[in-house]
Amino acid sequence: MVTKNNMNPKTLLDYYEINPKKSLGQNFLHDPGTLEKIVAAAEIRPDDTVLEVGPGTGMLTERLAPVAKKVIAVEIDGRLKPLLDIQFEPYSNIEVVYQDFLTTNVTELVGEGDFVVVANVPYYITSAILRHILESDHRPRRLVLTMQVEVAERLIATPDDMSVLAVSVQFYGIPRIVNRIKPAAFWPRPDVDSAVVLIDVYDQPPVDVPSEKLFFRVVRAGFGQKRKQLRNSLGSGLSIKSEVAGNLLEQAGIDPRRRAETLTLEEWAALTRAVALNLP
Ligand code: SAM
């Protein structure tokens, strides 16, 4: 029997005759120091529920369970069930839901109370996972997510290098990189370096917008055409003439010749307010 004493992802998976699937982003983190840092960054309180996306072989989950009230882990790969049933036997506070996380209802999963998200996310759906969590009715207090370093850097971008992803995440919280991880910390080794991103979520968005839906419609329209002047990309994204788009931008105090990447969150909010006032 493979036990925790000789536990590493490769030994465990070999024992259960499971081959890691690249298509599911299965690179399992086994470096103990890195796992401890991730748990420490989450600052979990004894009353917290922790939501984990993709427990894999459970090495992170087992470090979360002793410090949380409950861990709810959502895993798409049902092949891992026999392994996780044994690994999690000593813990009465771990619940595994075998489902595609993107089809879950986060509020129903975690209930009413405070929760944090800790996950070494499958890299192929990092943005979708972020959106699924941050756009849910009940948002976590904090997220600690291990992701590809390039994506982490995009999240913490500042005006001049903004993207839809950066605006979306920074609308909901403050992202920062707290650790960088080399491929050797994982098995199988990924092709890229990784980073741990901590996002402290706001109680209320930091800018005033008439509706979140309209805010994101305006942002997506603005970024719709790369490297174009805003009056053109906004015009085409909102199906209005570029002169009308130019007027809206001026009303929001933004030079219509600027590019979407240069706008601050407050400028996107001002533009959304101008759109709400002027367009049906
Ligand atoms: N947490 C483990 C660790 O740190 O070693 C595993 C991380 S591995 C990068 C990503 C995990 O997410 C895998 O177990 C994979 O099967 C799972 N996964 C992939 N897509 C998923 C999805 N849509 N919903 C839930 N889990 C998913």
Side-chain angles (χ1 to χ4, degrees):
M1 170 62 62
V2 176
T3 66
K4 279 179 204 66
N5 299 332
N6 60 356
M7 180 165 135
N8 70 55
K10 181 166 171 25
T11 319
L12 268 172
L13 292 169
D14 281 352
Y15 181 81
Y16 287 92
E17 296 180 345
I18 300 171
N19 286 322
K21 282 192 184 169
K22 213 172 174 175
S23 62
L24 291 180
Q26 291 185 337
N27 302 98
F28 302 102
L29 182 60
H30 57 78
D31 177 61
T34 308
L35 288 162
E36 296 302 339
K37 276 187 199 160
I38 291 171
V39 177
E43 295 184 345
I44 296 160
R45 302 171 189 161
D47 250 9
D48 278 336
T49 295
V50 177
L51 174 62
E52 186 189 8
V53 184
T57 57
M59 296 189 80
L60 180 57
T61 326
E62 285 188 291
R63 285 168 169 81
L64 296 167
V67 293
K69 184 169 148 208
K70 182 162 189 185
V71 181
I72 299 167
V74 183
E75 174 57 62
I76 199 171
D77 190 352
R79 296 178 308 160
L80 295 165
K81 187 171 185 311
L83 181 161
L84 291 179
D85 283 348
I86 301 280
Q87 294 304 121
F88 295 162
E89 210 168 28
Y91 305 95
S92 56
N93 64 341
I94 300 178
E95 180 191 339
V96 187
V97 177
Y98 292 94
Q99 193 178 335
D100 176 352
F101 176 68
L102 298 178
T103 65
T104 61
N105 178 319
V106 174
T107 312
E108 279 173 17
L109 267 181
V110 297
E112 303 255 295
D114 247 26
F115 76 107
V116 295
V117 175
V118 183
N120 170 16
V121 295
Y123 293 172
Y124 74 108
I125 45 168
T126 305
S127 312
I129 289 176
L130 274 165
R131 266 204 316 276
H132 192 62
I133 296 168
L134 292 173
E135 290 175 12
S136 114
D137 296 336
H138 184 29
R139 282 189 270 281
R141 184 177 70 243
R142 173 174 283 189
L143 297 91
V144 180
L145 302 178
T146 304
M147 60 183 72
Q148 206 172 319
V149 78
E150 286 78 10
V151 180
E153 277 162 1
R154 278 176 58 209
L155 297 190
I156 62 163
T158 49
D160 270 355
D161 291 314
M162 296 296 280
S163 59
V164 177
L165 184 63
V167 174
S168 310
V169 169
Q170 294 176 25
F171 180 77
Y172 291 112
I174 308 174
R176 56 199 159 98
I177 294 178
V178 293
N179 197 18
R180 286 171 193 262
I181 315 175
K182 288 285 172 199
F186 300 84
W187 184 85
R189 290 183 186 200
D191 300 329
V192 291
D193 282 1
S194 303
V196 180
V197 177
L198 187 155
I199 305 172
D200 275 322
V201 178
Y202 298 118
D203 288 336
Q204 293 294 328
V207 291
D208 179 24
V209 292
S211 112
E212 287 185 18
K213 201 170 159 210
L214 183 62
F215 176 79
F216 287 113
R217 201 179 135 216
V218 170
V219 171
R220 275 193 291 271
F223 278 100
Q225 293 185 314
K226 279 205 163 175
R227 278 177 269 284
K228 282 235 165 146
Q229 294 187 356
L230 260 174
R231 64 178 155 206
N232 295 326
S233 52
L234 195 69
S236 129
L238 295 179
S239 306
I240 52 175
K241 290 197 172 125
S242 50
E243 295 79 59
V244 178
N247 288 340
L248 292 171
L249 284 155
E250 272 167 6
Q251 203 174 312
I254 300 163
D255 182 338
R257 292 165 303 177
R258 282 173 61 190
R259 288 174 299 113
E261 302 88 286
T262 67
L263 262 59
T264 64
L265 216 58
E266 181 45 50
E267 286 174 321
W268 284 115
L271 182 57
T272 307
R273 294 194 292 269
V275 170
L277 277 178
N278 291 280
L279 293 188

